[in-house]
Amino acid sequence: MPNIFTLDKEKLISRRHLLKLGLVGAGVTSAASWQIFNSRSQPQVKVPPVETVATSDLATPSKMVREFEYGTLKRENGRIIREFRLTAATSIIQLNSAVSFNIWDLNGHIPGPTLRAKQGDRVRVLFFNQAGHSHSLHFHGVHPSDMDGIRPVRHGAATIYEFDAEPYGVHLYHCHIEPVTRHVAKGLYGMFIIDPPTARPPADEIVLVMAGYDVNDDNRNEYYAFNGLPHYYMDHPIRIYQNQLIRLYVLNIIEYDPVATFHLHANFFKVYPTGMTTKASFESDVITMGTAERHILEFAFRYPGKYMFHPHQDAIAENGCMGQFEVVAESNSQKMTKSS
């Protein structure tokens, strides 16, 4: 496959050009990709039934909490390519019954999809910009300089980022066009998980992305959220099973606030800093993260009931970044297994 950046490092490519190169063609679907991705992994764990709640089309926290995008698998020159497509656009999100906010979304969502690959995968990201301003995608991790995502992609244009997925860990991607803080705060961000060569032990895997909303352009956040919508998980707790391992991928992408903590009630978690280790470094019930910092936290709840999680900065928590885990009794899990 020709390298677009080698051909002309300053030239952006149109969708028509992508079609000519065969980069928007058929491949293994995302669902099939998921099956291939997991075919050699550990058995699935039990997940409690999820309540279907009507929410904004732009933010769907009930789905995002356990939803991963594995891309489309293609074979080129004897090598498997894991291909993702991300489109930036402009939308209006309803934060509550009274407040709406203009955002830049990715694939019609905020946050963008949680991309997932294995260390060593060849990753290709097709980025289409339909958001009215110049944007880009910068991926945290290791890659060549011409894949670093700092060059603007103008409105109506497209580009390709291609690199080997490394190192394993919990990473992120975001727009890197100035002012970067504004572009990130308005929605151009998402989580990027690279799994280690040897799969981690089975667990109920959950994603929480902490973000803020500056709705009056004063460089201060008036609202905060996990996975897009303020207070969502307080009203609709995340259901998990008693005594089952939870693997929480948590990312702080709150702009305008220098740090935010993550605190779990009535429990402690094992911390895998940046997800770049398979052995826990320490245990705590609260961890401090700067903007763009992220970790894997593992825990299990001994007792059924509802337990809060939130930053320990009260202003951040009380203005939307607060939720609950609803721990379902282990006996209910066993009943479901027998009846299924």
Side-chain angles (χ1 to χ4, degrees), residues 266-302:
N267 210 338
F268 286 79
F269 44 72
K270 295 181 178 180
V271 181
Y272 300 78
T274 320
M276 291 178 64
T277 175
T278 56
K279 294 183 179 180
S281 298
F282 60 94
E283 292 188 47
S284 182
D285 64 352
V286 62
I287 190 167
T288 302
M289 295 182 290
T291 304
E293 198 165 352
R294 64 277 183 196
H295 303 294
I296 290 176
L297 311 179
E298 289 188 348
F299 55 90
F301 272 95
R302 188 183 306 175

Side-chain angles (χ1 to χ4, degrees), residues 303-317:
Y303 306 110
K306 292 182 180 180
Y307 301 93
M308 293 178 66
F309 57 85
H310 57 82
H312 235 297
Q313 291 76 17
D314 289 344
I316 297 178

